[in-house]
Short mmCIF file of all heavy atoms in Angstrom, two decimals:
data_model
loop_
_atom_site.label_atom_id
_atom_site.label_comp_id
_atom_site.label_asym_id
_atom_site.label_seq_id
_atom_site.Cartn_x
_atom_site.Cartn_y
_atom_site.Cartn_z
N CYS A 113 92.13 101.52 96.94
CA CYS A 113 92.87 102.52 97.71
C CYS A 113 91.97 103.72 97.92
O CYS A 113 91.21 104.11 97.03
CB CYS A 113 94.13 102.94 96.95
SG CYS A 113 95.19 104.09 97.88
N PHE A 119 96.07 110.42 89.09
CA PHE A 119 96.84 109.80 88.01
C PHE A 119 97.03 108.30 88.21
O PHE A 119 97.72 107.64 87.45
CB PHE A 119 98.22 110.48 87.87
CG PHE A 119 98.99 110.49 89.15
CD1 PHE A 119 99.86 109.46 89.46
CD2 PHE A 119 98.82 111.52 90.08
CE1 PHE A 119 100.57 109.45 90.64
CE2 PHE A 119 99.51 111.52 91.28
CZ PHE A 119 100.39 110.48 91.56
N CYS A 120 96.42 107.75 89.26
CA CYS A 120 96.61 106.35 89.62
C CYS A 120 95.31 105.57 89.46
O CYS A 120 94.27 105.97 90.00
CB CYS A 120 97.11 106.24 91.07
SG CYS A 120 97.28 104.55 91.66
N PHE A 164 106.01 97.31 99.10
CA PHE A 164 104.58 97.59 99.32
C PHE A 164 104.19 98.72 98.37
O PHE A 164 103.93 99.85 98.78
CB PHE A 164 104.33 98.00 100.77
CG PHE A 164 104.31 96.85 101.75
CD1 PHE A 164 105.49 96.32 102.23
CD2 PHE A 164 103.11 96.32 102.20
CE1 PHE A 164 105.48 95.26 103.14
CE2 PHE A 164 103.08 95.27 103.12
CZ PHE A 164 104.26 94.73 103.58
N MET A 165 104.18 98.39 97.09
CA MET A 165 103.89 99.39 96.06
C MET A 165 102.77 98.91 95.14
O MET A 165 102.58 99.43 94.05
CB MET A 165 105.14 99.70 95.23
CG MET A 165 106.24 100.38 96.01
SD MET A 165 107.57 100.91 94.94
CE MET A 165 108.70 101.66 96.11
N GLY A 166 102.03 97.90 95.60
CA GLY A 166 100.89 97.45 94.82
C GLY A 166 99.66 98.29 95.19
O GLY A 166 99.77 99.49 95.42
N GLY A 168 96.78 100.01 97.26
CA GLY A 168 96.53 100.42 98.63
C GLY A 168 97.59 101.32 99.23
O GLY A 168 98.69 101.46 98.71
N GLU A 169 97.22 101.94 100.35
CA GLU A 169 98.12 102.79 101.11
C GLU A 169 98.53 102.00 102.37
O GLU A 169 97.72 101.85 103.30
CB GLU A 169 97.43 104.11 101.46
CG GLU A 169 98.12 104.94 102.52
CD GLU A 169 99.60 105.21 102.24
OE1 GLU A 169 99.98 105.45 101.08
OE2 GLU A 169 100.38 105.15 103.20
N PRO A 170 99.75 101.48 102.38
CA PRO A 170 100.15 100.60 103.49
C PRO A 170 99.96 101.24 104.87
O PRO A 170 99.54 100.57 105.81
CB PRO A 170 101.63 100.30 103.22
CG PRO A 170 101.96 100.87 101.90
CD PRO A 170 100.80 101.63 101.37
N SER A 202 106.00 101.94 100.86
CA SER A 202 105.78 103.19 100.12
C SER A 202 104.51 103.87 100.61
O SER A 202 103.49 103.21 100.81
CB SER A 202 105.68 102.88 98.63
OG SER A 202 105.49 104.06 97.88
N THR A 203 104.56 105.18 100.80
CA THR A 203 103.40 105.90 101.33
C THR A 203 103.16 107.22 100.62
O THR A 203 104.09 107.85 100.13
CB THR A 203 103.57 106.15 102.85
OG1 THR A 203 102.45 106.91 103.33
CG2 THR A 203 104.84 106.94 103.15
N VAL A 204 101.89 107.64 100.60
CA VAL A 204 101.54 108.97 100.10
C VAL A 204 102.01 110.06 101.05
O VAL A 204 101.98 111.24 100.71
CB VAL A 204 100.02 109.12 99.89
CG1 VAL A 204 99.54 108.30 98.72
CG2 VAL A 204 99.26 108.76 101.16
N SER A 225 105.82 108.99 98.20
CA SER A 225 105.33 109.41 96.89
C SER A 225 105.07 110.91 96.92
O SER A 225 103.98 111.35 97.30
CB SER A 225 104.05 108.64 96.55
OG SER A 225 104.34 107.26 96.48
N HIS A 227 105.93 113.52 94.31
CA HIS A 227 105.40 113.95 93.00
C HIS A 227 105.47 115.44 92.69
O HIS A 227 105.34 115.83 91.53
CB HIS A 227 103.97 113.45 92.78
CG HIS A 227 103.86 111.96 92.86
ND1 HIS A 227 104.66 111.12 92.14
CD2 HIS A 227 103.05 111.16 93.61
CE1 HIS A 227 104.36 109.87 92.43
NE2 HIS A 227 103.40 109.86 93.32
N GLU A 267 109.46 109.07 95.51
CA GLU A 267 108.89 108.68 94.22
C GLU A 267 108.32 109.93 93.55
O GLU A 267 107.66 110.74 94.20
CB GLU A 267 107.77 107.65 94.39
CG GLU A 267 108.05 106.55 95.39
CD GLU A 267 109.18 105.65 94.96
OE1 GLU A 267 109.01 104.93 93.96
OE2 GLU A 267 110.25 105.70 95.62
N ALA A 269 106.42 110.73 89.89
CA ALA A 269 105.93 110.40 88.55
C ALA A 269 106.09 111.63 87.66
O ALA A 269 105.64 112.72 88.02
CB ALA A 269 104.47 109.98 88.61
N ILE A 301 109.60 108.29 88.00
CA ILE A 301 108.84 107.23 87.33
C ILE A 301 108.15 107.86 86.12
O ILE A 301 107.31 108.74 86.29
CB ILE A 301 107.75 106.63 88.25
CG1 ILE A 301 108.27 106.39 89.67
CG2 ILE A 301 107.17 105.37 87.65
CD1 ILE A 301 107.18 106.04 90.68
N PRO A 302 108.53 107.45 84.90
CA PRO A 302 107.79 107.97 83.75
C PRO A 302 106.31 107.63 83.93
O PRO A 302 105.99 106.47 84.22
CB PRO A 302 108.40 107.21 82.56
CG PRO A 302 109.71 106.68 83.05
CD PRO A 302 109.56 106.47 84.54
N LEU A 303 105.42 108.61 83.79
CA LEU A 303 104.00 108.37 84.05
C LEU A 303 103.49 107.22 83.19
O LEU A 303 103.69 107.20 81.98
CB LEU A 303 103.17 109.63 83.74
CG LEU A 303 101.68 109.47 84.12
CD1 LEU A 303 101.48 109.68 85.60
CD2 LEU A 303 100.80 110.42 83.31
N ASN A 304 102.84 106.27 83.80
CA ASN A 304 102.20 105.17 83.07
C ASN A 304 100.77 105.56 82.74
O ASN A 304 100.09 106.18 83.56
CB ASN A 304 102.22 103.89 83.92
CG ASN A 304 103.63 103.39 84.15
OD1 ASN A 304 104.37 103.14 83.19
ND2 ASN A 304 104.02 103.25 85.41
N THR A 306 96.84 105.50 82.38
CA THR A 306 95.72 104.88 83.11
C THR A 306 94.42 105.25 82.38
O THR A 306 94.37 106.28 81.70
CB THR A 306 95.65 105.40 84.56
OG1 THR A 306 95.60 106.83 84.54
CG2 THR A 306 96.84 104.96 85.38
N CYS A 347 103.50 100.78 87.77
CA CYS A 347 103.12 101.68 88.85
C CYS A 347 101.84 102.41 88.48
O CYS A 347 101.74 103.04 87.44
CB CYS A 347 104.19 102.73 89.09
SG CYS A 347 105.80 102.08 89.48
N GLY A 348 100.86 102.36 89.36
CA GLY A 348 99.63 103.13 89.16
C GLY A 348 98.62 102.48 88.25
O GLY A 348 97.57 103.05 87.99
N1 SAH B 401 99.87 104.24 98.23
C1 SAH B 401 101.30 104.04 98.29
C2 SAH B 401 101.72 102.71 97.71
C3 SAH B 401 101.52 102.61 96.21
S1 SAH B 401 103.08 102.71 95.46
C4 SAH B 401 102.00 105.19 97.60
O1 SAH B 401 101.34 105.96 96.93
O2 SAH B 401 103.20 105.38 97.79
C5 SAH B 401 102.68 103.05 93.80
C6 SAH B 401 103.55 104.15 93.27
O3 SAH B 401 103.20 104.39 91.89
C7 SAH B 401 103.34 105.46 94.00
O4 SAH B 401 104.55 106.14 94.09
C8 SAH B 401 102.39 106.17 93.06
O5 SAH B 401 102.38 107.54 93.26
C9 SAH B 401 102.94 105.76 91.72
N2 SAH B 401 102.00 105.93 90.62
C10 SAH B 401 100.66 105.95 90.69
N3 SAH B 401 100.12 106.11 89.47
C11 SAH B 401 101.14 106.19 88.60
C12 SAH B 401 101.23 106.34 87.20
N4 SAH B 401 100.14 106.46 86.45
N5 SAH B 401 102.45 106.36 86.63
C13 SAH B 401 103.56 106.24 87.40
N6 SAH B 401 103.55 106.09 88.73
C14 SAH B 401 102.35 106.08 89.33
#
Side-chain angles (χ1 to χ4, degrees):
C113 185
F119 54 92
C120 176
F164 283 80
M165 294 188 180
E169 166 52 40
S202 181
T203 177
V204 289
S225 298
H227 302 308
E267 317 294 293
I301 316 170
L303 185 80
N304 294 304
T306 54
C347 302

